[in-house]
Amino acid sequence: MLEKDCIQTRGFKNVEKDGKIVGFQVNIRSLYYRGVWLSQLRPATIKVNGEIFSGDQISWTINDSTYTQEEMAKLGDVHWGVLDLATLTVAKEGGLESGSYDIEVNYTYSASYFPPALDTVLGMGGHKKTLVLV
């Protein structure tokens, strides 16, 4: 079951690879009623207790497929639906320690009914939530 907010409480965790903590994940949902094609999304940033992550530090997993933000710009045939979770994985050596974190996720998207100059105005940026990593 999805929560009403963009940033989901469930799924906030560290990511382990080959026995090492290599980053962390946070789940989000699209609040746009039509969903968006991945090529409509503009690169996201994630702020965790004031530390900003962007660009190739963030990958998106939607419908069990993982994409870099650069790859997403070229994917006009992959849709992120309003009922689908997106897992944002942030590369951060050592991940995050247990505790409470102020999370902010910012992203925008283009819409076919607005001119490109408005891309920076549209979107679902600025979502904030305090999450606890156990």
Side-chain angles (χ1 to χ4, degrees):
M1 184 79 160
L2 296 176
E3 297 171 40
K4 182 179 178 182
D5 297 331
C6 173
I7 300 172
Q8 305 290 291
T9 303
R10 285 189 245 158
F12 181 52
K13 63 182 182 180
N14 280 322
V15 177
E16 186 177 321
K17 184 177 181 182
D18 300 326
K20 291 179 145 182
I21 303 294
V22 295
F24 64 92
Q25 292 179 330
V26 63
N27 288 331
I28 64 172
R29 63 176 289 220
S30 172
L31 299 181
Y32 185 52
Y33 75 101
R34 297 174 72 179
V36 293
W37 298 99
L38 296 194
S39 60
Q40 289 178 270
L41 288 169
R42 301 302 177 250
T45 61
I46 299 174
K47 188 187 297 187
V48 178
N49 287 358
E51 185 177 358
I52 298 173
F53 302 93
S54 63
D56 61 359
Q57 292 176 296
I58 302 170
S59 63
W60 293 60
T61 303
I62 298 172
N63 297 324
D64 298 322
S65 295
T66 301
Y67 311 98
T68 66
Q69 296 198 102
E70 187 177 321
E71 289 172 328
M72 290 169 50
K74 302 170 190 161
L75 293 172
D77 61 345
V78 180
H79 191 259
W80 177 28
V82 69
L83 298 177
D84 299 326
L85 278 179
T87 299
L88 304 184
T89 302
V90 178
K92 177 178 172 52
E93 190 173 323
L96 300 172
E97 295 188 19
S98 296
S100 179
Y101 291 90
D102 292 324
I103 308 291
E104 182 176 341
V105 175
N106 292 287
Y107 69 92
T108 59
Y109 58 87
S110 65
S112 60
Y113 45 83
F114 283 115
L118 293 179
D119 277 1
T120 57
V121 182
L122 297 175
M124 298 299 178
H127 290 284
K128 298 177 184 180
K129 193 169 202 171
T130 299
L131 299 177
V132 176
L133 186 69
V134 182

